[in-house]
Amino acid sequence: MKAILALEDGTTFEGSSIGATGTVTGEMCCDTSVMGYQEILTDPACSGRILAMTYPLIGNYGVCEEDNESATPQAAGLVVTELARLHCNWRAEEGMNPWLQRHNIVGIAGIDTRMVATLQRNKGTLRCCITTELSADDAIAAAAQAPHIEDTTPVSKVSCTEAYHWTGESRAWKLPNKTQGDLTTYTELPPISYKVVVYDLGVRRSILRNLRQSGCDVTVVPYTATAADVLTMRPDAVILSDGPGAPTALPAVAAQAALLADKLPVAGIGLGCQVLATALGASCRKLRVGHQGCNQPVKDTATGKVNITTQNTIYAIEASSLPSELEVTAVNLNDDTVAALRSSKRPVFGVQYIPAAPAGADDTTGFYGELISTIKAVKAGKYNA
């Protein structure tokens, strides 16, 4: 079946329908990752956006429900150059197209996604429409009428509605060592040493998994939870998760983060980092083109080491607005934006990347070590940021 991709600037593409039929609109998100399409589609940070994968072949290793970052796909639609008709992977449970159809995700194939990415790079973030129903002119009009992400509150759609204890892991993942004949993919989890509360702004399961594999008991609370609610749980640390939308849409969360930052260690990831920065007096701006992909280079300002990171964010923290207590500890080498920061007065820090995201490099596993070190320092009364 024919499908149309229309951009708000009047550009249209004709391709083939994949997934479900119908019409969807939203802001375009161009992701440069070579693999990890399932994790990206199910990342709550993609909620309400239309995802264009710049790598030309998507779906070649199928899907496996264990790899989902949330219960269902979160992106409103999918744009690809080619969707694999066959898949090959010993862990695959389903093909990509049936999976998209089952979850009612509208998509289009046969599109030059690198041209789409170039248009977005030159013109800034564009709203778009995928349709199997409308004419090209009507699709352009629909794209132009789609809401901007800053005018919506997607966190309210992806956050949990009540607190829950993370029990999604009974074993820790590890990579098989085939050269030694080891095909085991799991190992025993470490004993629990610390208690962490995670504000669910659209948390990825991999973050919860990594926290548990770092020896943390993990409780997840909705974005509406108050500081008083969290403190009654007596956590050793609080994490503001990544998620979709604008930090300016979450003033209540920022207010609670400011209260918690005076009491115990607080760390922010992605959107959570932006909210934490605003809670301490900084401001944020929408990026002309967001950071999406598994190949974002980030430089540690103290050591000069460059890490390859996974990012999925459309806002940046204004370095010039940082209060004196916040220091930049890492910068994005693509555009010199703030990639990580830390307080000089309190056990508070944040990163703009997704630490140890499963579809990307594992350069950033140090985030969890930094969290544990901060907790230990506070417990020992020796904290010195």
Side-chain angles (χ1 to χ4, degrees):
M1 178 183 292
K2 184 183 80 172
I4 293 172
L5 169 66
L7 308 183
E8 64 173 302
D9 69 347
T11 306
T12 60
F13 302 83
E14 187 173 304
S16 302
S17 170
I18 58 173
T21 57
T23 300
V24 292
T25 61
E27 284 192 355
M28 177 69 75
C29 164
C30 294
D31 196 290
T32 59
S33 303
V34 172
M35 58 183 291
Y37 49 79
Q38 182 183 344
E39 291 90 339
I40 298 163
L41 278 163
T42 55
D43 182 355
C46 284
S47 177
R49 291 191 283 166
I50 291 177
L51 176 66
M53 300 294 297
T54 61
Y55 189 71
L57 179 63
I58 299 298
N60 55 311
Y61 56 86
V63 295
C64 172
E65 290 296 319
E66 191 174 38
D67 294 342
N68 282 355
E69 289 286 11
S70 61
T72 61
Q74 300 288 345
L78 176 65
V79 182
V80 300
T81 298
E82 181 182 354
L83 188 71
R85 291 174 293 174
L86 299 174
H87 64 272
C88 182
N89 179 6
W90 65 277
R91 294 178 67 245
E93 300 167 347
E94 192 173 9
M96 185 73 169
N97 200 48
W99 183 73
L100 293 171
Q101 292 172 338
R102 182 161 59 85
H103 290 290
N104 200 36
I105 303 300
V106 177
I108 184 170
I111 304 301
D112 184 348
T113 54
R114 297 188 181 188
M115 178 180 176
V116 172
T118 299
L119 284 169
Q120 181 126 316
R121 182 188 64 200
N122 293 337
K123 297 185 177 183
T125 299
L126 295 168
R127 294 168 293 175
C128 63
C129 172
I130 304 174
T131 183
T132 59
E133 306 165 319
L134 303 179
S135 68
D137 288 342
D138 288 343
I140 293 170
Q145 292 168 9
H148 291 283
I149 195 73
E150 61 266 28
D151 297 326
T152 64
T153 54
V155 168
S156 64
K157 299 178 182 178
V158 299
S159 180
C160 60
T161 56
E162 58 184 26
Y164 66 91
H165 185 246
W166 168 248
T167 56
E169 295 294 311
S170 58
R171 300 168 294 178
W173 290 16
K174 71 174 184 179
L175 291 175
N177 189 337
K178 295 182 180 179
T179 59
Q180 298 180 13
D182 180 11
L183 298 181
T184 304
T185 55
Y186 300 97
T187 187
E188 293 301 314
L189 287 167
I192 290 174
S193 302
Y194 307 102
K195 184 173 183 179
V196 172
V197 169
V198 177
Y199 264 84
D200 183 8
L201 309 184
V203 67
R204 296 169 61 131
R205 287 176 175 173
S206 59
I207 291 174
L208 304 179
R209 182 181 303 124
N210 276 291
L211 286 169
R212 177 60 192 91
Q213 292 180 11
S214 299
C216 295
D217 177 82
V218 183
T219 298
V220 183
V221 298
Y223 80 107
T224 53
T226 66
D229 294 334
V230 171
L231 291 172
T232 60
M233 301 175 185
R234 302 180 67 82
D236 295 306
V238 171
I239 291 178
L240 306 180
S241 84
D242 54 333
T248 51
L250 302 170
V253 181
Q256 303 311 307
L259 294 172
L260 290 166
D262 286 329
K263 303 287 186 180
L264 71 172
V266 180
I269 300 171
L271 176 63
C273 179
Q274 298 155 22
V275 171
L276 183 58
T278 60
L280 300 181
S283 60
C284 299
R285 62 177 172 86
K286 188 176 183 180
L287 290 163
R288 186 170 177 272
V289 179
H291 296 164
Q292 282 96 20
C294 299
N295 50 8
Q296 296 279 329
V298 165
K299 181 179 179 180
D300 185 300
T301 57
T303 66
K305 179 183 178 182
V306 176
N307 292 314
I308 301 303
T309 70
T310 297
Q311 298 192 27
N312 191 357
T313 182
I314 54 177
Y315 277 80
I317 299 166
E318 291 277 22
S320 60
S321 73
L322 291 176
S324 58
E325 76 163 282
L326 289 180
E327 59 182 5
V328 177
T329 56
V331 294
N332 188 311
L333 290 181
N334 286 337
D335 58 8
D336 292 324
T337 54
V338 176
L341 48 77
R342 173 174 276 278
S343 169
S344 60
K345 297 180 179 178
R346 292 174 274 195
V348 171
F349 65 98
V351 296
Q352 283 288 82
Y353 48 81
I354 313 301
D362 61 0
D363 295 13
T364 53
T365 54
F367 170 88
Y368 302 100
E370 184 176 3
L371 176 69
I372 300 304
S373 296
T374 302
I375 292 173
K376 288 180 177 179
V378 170
K379 282 181 171 292
K382 299 178 181 179
Y383 179 74
N384 182 1

